Amino acid sequence: MTSHLETAHDSATPESGETPEVPRTPWSRFRRRFRTQRVGLISLGYLIFVVGIAVLAPLLATDSPNAQDLRAVLASPSGEHWLGTDDVGRDVFSRLLYASRTSLLAALLAVAVALGLGLVPGLVAGYARGRIDGIVMRIADALMAFPPLILAVALVGVLGPGLTNAMIAVGIVFSPRFLRILRGAAMSIREETYIEAARGLGCSSVSIIGRHVLPNVLSPLIVQISFAAGTAMLAEASLSFLGLGVQPPDASWGAMLGRSYRFYDRAPWVVLFPGIAIALTVLAFNLLGDALRDSLGREER
Amino acid sequence: MTRLVVRRLLSLIPLLLIVTFLTFSLILLVPGDPAVTLAGDNATPEQIDATRERLGLNDPMLVQYGKWVGDVLTGDLGTSLYRNEQVSETIIDRLPVTLSLTFLALVVALVVAIPAGLIAGTRAGRASDKVATVAASVGVATPSFLLALILLLFFAIWNPWLPATGYVALEDSPWEWFRHLVLPAITLGTAAAAEMTRQLRSSLVDVLKQDYIRTAWSKGLASRVVVGKHALKNAAAPMLTVAGLQVTVLLGGSIIVEQIFGLPGLGQLVISAVNSRDLPMIQGVVVASVIIAVLANLVVDLLYGYLNPKVRAQ
């Protein structure tokens, strides 16, 4: 009787046969691999730099972001206004610093909404399968059939313009991505022996999902969060460009662009600098995502 | 093949039902009483009642949805709340602009992605591959309005070679139609080109490692035949799927591009509808665009089945 229990216990611990040279924890394994990713490290450094700028904006700004100087409208870059001024004489450099707060926060908010909407249905659908899975996936497929920006614009249209509503809309549009990843991961994990063991020990489905499935989908999730943050930032910029996102006098990079676009032929810098800021930050999120994907993931390597 | 067509067409029915239901449900997201909100700020009680009546808000929800879907099926998308226009007629007026733009953007994407993906995929790890990969990453990350700005400055403002804004219908003058759409199509197509280059590159790299490619090389076939016939055909299938998904993205991206280049398409229509909270018009554009996207992906799926006998047999 005792020997029976022991064998069952043995087969439920897959980590017993580990080779000595592989670092013990997944975290140190990840760190060792990530350290060799030069592009990923540069991207991460750049993103930390942008976050630093956002936090320290009041200290770094050379001017108040909303101070208008109507004698220096659309002034070109100079010693006084490093990146020029916009159509009401506001300092582009200072506004750019403050706007990074809105842009980062917006991306964060949209990813949080998408994750919040996708998490539970994705895990449940992948774990439960059958009819629940069928229904959830039909709805996710339907959401993905919409042209993303048209759906986001329509959602903001009915909810009313504003940064929070815009980011809720973007989050809704992106939620199927998280849902699908979580579902896929949950589906493959549910076949593992340790899940079977947990079920055999009488754990409830809720505790199995929370304690065993969720920690194991973290890797693909982290990768997707990095990509989604970049795409969400682009989406926020698009909505704010159209005047549906953040409302004046507050600005995100996209809103700065949208407001000044009519002056692009006279003062290209009012459009160029926020545009470059968006492009670089989105690029950094995407490249970081690539590096994370290569460093996390397949543990057998 | 016939079985595949029938199966795919049947699978559209539940998809379209859910999609139309989600579009219809937009009204549930209107804050407060939709009739009060949508009638505008200074509406009289009579106007609010009239709006309520026009939107059919007095009926139970499923009855409202049933009526709405029935109307959509017969091509009736209702009347605009603010303009005395049939939503479906307005959409049909605007549709050629958006379809022209999306089509040309897809052409741009394919014209760039196929050679770029081929070069990168067959020379993986070499300098030309690195250049293509970096360019693709930058292309995905660049917002369309930044790219539009650069193109406009170079090709319309500093060198007045191409028009900066406006649209000429294809039937009025094919040449002017093309000239007005070149910059918008490049703007819209660049991100799609980058995405498809990445896809083609990675599937080519995978395919070129296969045994049948080694066999083809050892038979002494010319590289043109090995890459062009054996590898490209097999690598094209996943790229086709990405192309279908890109049509959906392009339709969305056209909103920004139409706004910048002053093209009177669906994108401009939905923006003006959103600014005036013209719900029937918003719902109409959303339904029209999702149906176009679904049909484009249907065509892609059928092409996929044509290219890949395995899919047909299932």
Side-chain angles (χ1 to χ4, degrees), chain B residues 39-45 47-48:
Chain B
D41 286 339
N42 303 313
T44 61
Q47 283 171 319
I48 292 173

Side-chain angles (χ1 to χ4, degrees), chain B:
Chain B
M1 196 68 197
T2 326
R3 260 178 53 208
L4 177 72
V5 175
V6 172
R7 206 179 59 221
R8 287 293 290 120
L9 283 175
L10 285 179
S11 75
L12 283 189
I13 296 172
L15 177 65
L16 287 177
L17 273 179
I18 301 176
V19 161
T20 49
F21 185 75
L22 291 175
T23 311
F24 165 79
S25 317
L26 282 172
I27 194 164
L28 303 177
L29 295 174
V30 177
D33 180 347
V36 176
T37 310
L38 297 173
D41 286 339
N42 303 313
T44 61
E46 289 77 30
Q47 283 171 319
I48 292 173
D49 281 340
T51 309
R52 199 187 305 279
E53 192 59 41
R54 261 168 94 179
L55 293 169
L57 292 173
N58 291 321
D59 297 325
M61 208 187 90
L62 277 177
V63 175
Q64 292 178 37
Y65 171 64
K67 278 188 185 169
W68 187 77
V69 156
D71 287 346
V72 169
L73 282 177
T74 57
D76 177 9
L77 294 168
T79 22
S80 158
L81 285 181
Y82 296 95
R83 305 195 253 184
N84 203 7
E85 291 167 349
Q86 285 289 315
V87 171
S88 49
E89 281 172 22
T90 314
I91 288 176
I92 288 170
D93 278 350
R94 305 290 193 105
L95 204 52
V97 184
T98 302
L99 288 183
S100 305
L101 176 61
T102 310
F103 172 75
L104 284 181
L106 194 63
V107 172
V108 168
L110 287 170
V111 165
V112 175
I114 291 175
L118 256 179
I119 292 170
T122 51
R123 291 156 201 244
R126 286 202 253 163
S128 47
D129 171 37
K130 294 215 170 101
V131 171
T133 312
V134 169
S137 295
V138 174
V140 171
T142 307
S144 54
F145 24 81
L146 179 62
L147 187 63
L149 167 82
I150 295 164
L151 290 173
L152 277 169
L153 286 178
F154 276 98
F155 299 105
I157 307 296
W158 295 337
N159 305 300
W161 294 328
L162 289 164
T165 56
Y167 177 76
V168 174
L170 178 62
E171 54 271 28
D172 292 342
S173 162
W175 174 239
E176 283 301 315
W177 172 81
F178 182 72
R179 268 170 44 87
H180 281 82
L181 286 174
V182 172
L183 295 181
I186 295 175
T187 304
L188 185 57
T190 297
E195 201 70 65
M196 283 154 81
T197 303
R198 295 220 289 209
Q199 178 60 49
L200 183 58
R201 178 195 175 275
S202 70
S203 46
L204 253 184
V205 168
D206 284 345
V207 167
L208 286 172
K209 283 185 200 144
Q210 299 294 315
D211 289 343
Y212 57 84
I213 295 295
R214 202 183 48 206
T215 310
W217 284 121
S218 50
K219 275 202 298 187
L221 293 180
S223 67
R224 187 171 43 85
V225 180
V226 177
V227 175
K229 196 173 161 198
H230 295 263
L232 193 57
K233 242 191 199 170
N234 284 291
M239 187 169 138
L240 201 59
T241 309
V242 173
L245 296 175
Q246 285 301 320
V247 173
T248 314
V249 177
L250 290 176
L251 280 169
S254 67
I255 295 188
I256 302 273
V257 177
E258 285 176 14
Q259 201 73 6
I260 294 173
F261 290 94
L263 302 172
L266 287 186
Q268 274 200 353
L269 185 63
V270 76
I271 293 298
S272 70
V274 159
N275 286 331
S276 57
R277 283 214 166 166
D278 188 346
L279 189 67
M281 193 66 93
I282 298 175
Q283 287 175 321
V285 175
V286 171
V287 157
S289 67
V290 74
I291 288 175
I292 298 168
V294 167
L295 290 180
N297 281 288
L298 173 72
V299 172
V300 166
D301 271 6
L302 296 181
L303 275 175
Y304 198 97
Y306 176 76
L307 277 179
N308 187 349
K310 267 194 224 155
V311 177
R312 244 178 293 164
Q314 269 169 19

Side-chain angles (χ1 to χ4, degrees), chain A residues 223-240:
Chain A
V223 174
Q224 188 60 29
I225 285 174
S226 188
F227 287 128
T231 322
M233 184 170 271
L234 270 184
E236 183 278 330
S238 301
L239 288 173
S240 290

Side-chain angles (χ1 to χ4, degrees), chain A residues 103 233-234 237 253-254 257 273-283, chain B residues 141 143 145:
Chain A
S103 291
M233 184 170 271
L234 270 184
W253 291 331
L257 252 154
F273 292 122
I276 291 172
I278 296 168
L280 280 180
T281 312
V282 175
L283 184 65
Chain B
F145 24 81

Side-chain angles (χ1 to χ4, degrees), chain A:
Chain A
M1 192 63 207
T2 13
S3 71
H4 222 91
L5 273 175
E6 269 164 23
T7 35
H9 185 73
D10 269 351
S11 66
T13 46
E15 268 138 309
S16 50
E18 230 175 22
T19 44
E21 67 267 26
V22 176
R24 245 159 261 111
T25 64
W27 168 239
S28 58
R29 230 170 3 225
F30 162 73
R31 258 193 330 205
R32 198 191 47 173
R33 286 187 200 148
F34 190 74
R35 237 180 280 141
T36 62
Q37 304 266 354
R38 198 153 39 103
V39 179
L41 285 173
I42 295 171
S43 303
L44 184 63
Y46 170 78
L47 289 173
I48 292 171
F49 168 73
V50 174
V51 171
I53 282 182
V55 173
L56 300 176
L59 299 176
L60 300 169
T62 52
D63 211 338
S64 155
N66 294 324
Q68 303 185 359
D69 180 0
L70 294 172
R71 285 161 303 153
V73 168
L74 296 177
S76 48
S78 64
E80 195 188 347
H81 298 291
W82 293 352
L83 301 180
T85 62
D86 70 0
D87 57 308
V88 287
R90 291 176 294 196
D91 184 56
V92 171
F93 175 71
S94 306
R95 279 180 78 67
L96 207 57
L97 297 183
Y98 276 92
S100 65
R101 297 178 155 193
T102 319
S103 291
L104 288 174
L105 214 63
L108 198 71
L109 188 58
V111 172
V113 171
L115 192 57
L117 289 175
L119 186 69
V120 173
L123 287 177
V124 170
Y127 187 76
R129 302 215 281 207
R131 193 186 288 172
I132 298 176
D133 183 36
I135 295 171
V136 169
M137 287 316 288
R138 280 274 151 81
I139 296 173
D141 286 345
L143 266 179
M144 288 183 92
F146 287 96
L149 199 55
I150 291 189
L151 182 58
V153 165
L155 283 168
V156 179
V158 292
L159 290 169
L163 188 66
T164 312
N165 285 347
M167 291 304 98
I168 290 173
V170 173
I172 293 175
V173 172
F174 285 169
S175 57
R177 294 196 194 192
F178 285 106
L179 192 150
R180 292 172 78 110
I181 285 177
L182 288 159
R183 168 183 177 264
M187 262 175 121
S188 62
I189 289 166
R190 78 168 253 146
E191 303 302 328
E192 301 280 343
T193 341
Y194 60 87
I195 300 291
E196 210 178 301
R199 218 177 301 147
L201 287 168
C203 293
S204 69
S205 295
V206 175
S207 95
I208 292 179
I209 291 179
R211 286 257 195 91
H212 303 287
V213 179
L214 193 57
N216 279 293
V217 298
L218 273 181
S219 302
L221 204 56
I222 289 168
V223 174
Q224 188 60 29
I225 285 174
S226 188
F227 287 128
T231 322
M233 184 170 271
L234 270 184
E236 183 278 330
S238 301
L239 288 173
S240 290
F241 178 85
L242 295 168
L244 299 172
V246 61
Q247 299 300 308
D250 290 337
S252 68
W253 291 331
M256 288 177 70
L257 252 154
R259 182 185 166 87
S260 314
Y261 215 86
R262 331 168 243 160
F263 309 108
Y264 73 85
D265 47 345
R266 271 187 286 160
W269 54 87
V270 291
V271 182
L272 204 57
F273 292 122
I276 291 172
I278 296 168
L280 280 180
T281 312
V282 175
L283 184 65
F285 274 123
N286 288 347
L287 294 175
L288 179 66
D290 283 336
L292 287 173
R293 188 184 46 206
D294 293 344
S295 317
L296 292 164
R298 282 172 294 176
E299 293 298 338
E300 72 268 23
R301 207 171 31 171

